[in-house]
Amino acid sequence: YGSIDSTTVGQYQYEIDWDTSGVSVGTHTLTAVATDWSLPFPPGNTQTSDPVTVDVGPAYPTISLTSPQSYTFVRGTTQISATTTSADNPSTVQVAVDGSTVPSTVSGSSVSASWDTTKVSDGTHTITATITDARSETATSSSTVTVDNTPPTTSILSPTPGSFATGTLAASAHASDAYGVKSVQFEIDGNPVGSALTSPDTSGGYTYSSTLSLSGLSSGTHTLTDVATDNAGNTTTSTGVSFTIGYAPPTVSITSPLAYTFAHGTVTVTAGVTGGTPPDSVQLLVDGKASGSPQTSGYSFSW
């Protein structure tokens, strides 16, 4: 093609312009033949380059999946998006999941499709987008995602139902999910309390604990729940546990004398009280009848 070129454009480099305007659209093979000045000349020694295949015509189409990205979680109805280029129209675009076509819409260079992930099993799936131009040249883009439509499981571990608390509440919950728990948020009466917990108490564990402030909450009965969210965004709210802000009812026990011992004369009877809202009033009963006056401290009686 063209004239023999004997003038370099750089060290060991030669350049011959190729006018492709009169060449048919499609693939062509280029080679270069180099001839040295060896005698006798001509012909000299020659060497033919390895062939290079080029395509004369419009640029090949391109397509790029923009959403969802590979290695992300999806659930419910997921939007699939892609962008394209095509120098030779009309072109067609096909979106598929695991080889099954998903209806798509093309608007200019944008491609969109809605994928109902509830119709496939939880786990790994491959999204593929393919563009084909008027010359049947194609380009493909794909992403691998994890479908998770199963919400996590969760339950309150503490406090136990009917517990009493003042000032703060020690709360813990169990939360687990096949693909990981993203966060656990405690709620009192449906309102978030404290920060969302993003990691369990121990690495690889399933227990999430926090000390919750009860400031601003009225005395009386309240309900503690937790909301567990997995990495796909599924949520589960635990069964509520009822607790009371305030002091637990008092409990009293006789610490002296001990049961089944002997007594005579004047005996000192002592009692211990736990819980309740101070001050406590303690009355000694002998065979069910009051003995002496009620005590509000010390709880020591002479019988």
Side-chain angles (χ1 to χ4, degrees):
Y1 174 85
S3 302
I4 293 175
D5 186 10
S6 59
T7 303
T8 61
V9 295
Q11 188 175 23
Y12 309 124
Q13 295 180 353
Y14 295 79
E15 181 179 290
I16 299 175
D17 292 331
W18 177 29
D19 182 5
T20 64
S21 60
V23 180
S24 62
V25 172
T27 57
H28 298 269
T29 302
L30 303 180
T31 54
V33 179
T35 303
D36 67 12
W37 291 102
S38 301
L39 297 175
F41 186 85
N45 295 317
T46 62
Q47 177 70 41
T48 301
S49 70
D50 291 334
V52 173
T53 299
V54 297
D55 192 331
V56 174
Y60 287 167
T62 65
I63 191 166
S64 176
L65 275 170
T66 56
S67 178
Q69 296 290 325
S70 282
Y71 311 114
T72 58
F73 290 91
V74 295
R75 66 186 181 96
T77 299
T78 297
Q79 296 301 312
I80 299 173
S81 301
T83 58
T84 65
T85 64
S86 178
D88 192 9
N89 290 310
S91 58
T92 60
V93 175
Q94 182 184 60
V95 176
V97 175
D98 300 332
S100 298
T101 301
V102 177
S104 59
T105 301
V106 179
S107 177
S109 61
S110 299
V111 181
S112 61
S114 292
W115 172 31
D116 184 0
T117 66
T118 63
K119 294 183 178 179
V120 299
S121 60
D122 283 3
T124 301
H125 297 270
T126 300
I127 304 170
T128 304
T130 303
I131 184 172
T132 305
D133 69 8
R135 285 198 300 153
S136 297
E137 298 294 346
T138 65
T140 300
S141 179
S142 64
S143 63
T144 300
V145 298
T146 299
V147 172
D148 180 12
N149 285 306
T150 304
T153 60
T154 189
S155 60
I156 296 293
L157 298 177
S158 64
T160 56
S163 297
F164 290 81
T166 57
T168 59
L169 177 69
S172 64
H174 175 280
S176 62
D177 184 84
Y179 297 103
V181 172
K182 182 179 181 180
S183 66
V184 171
Q185 174 68 63
F186 287 105
E187 295 184 347
I188 295 178
D189 301 331
N191 300 311
V193 179
S195 301
L197 305 176
T198 57
S199 59
D201 296 351
T202 58
S203 177
Y206 303 99
T207 300
Y208 295 75
S209 301
S210 180
T211 300
L212 308 178
S213 172
L214 301 178
S215 176
L217 296 175
S218 62
S219 298
T221 302
H222 297 268
T223 301
L224 174 71
T225 56
D226 79 273
V227 179
T229 303
D230 65 19
N231 286 314
N234 300 299
T235 62
T236 299
T237 301
S238 69
T239 300
V241 170
S242 178
F243 72 98
T244 299
I245 295 179
Y247 292 97
T251 59
V252 62
S253 61
I254 292 178
T255 57
S256 177
L258 299 177
Y260 306 111
T261 57
F262 290 91
H264 69 282
T266 300
V267 176
T268 299
V269 179
T270 57
V273 177
T274 58
T277 303
D280 296 311
S281 175
V282 178
Q283 174 66 61
L284 174 63
L285 303 177
V286 178
D287 297 331
K289 296 181 180 181
S291 175
S293 300
Q295 301 273 349
T296 57
S297 64
Y299 316 133
S300 179
F301 304 87
S302 292
W303 171 37

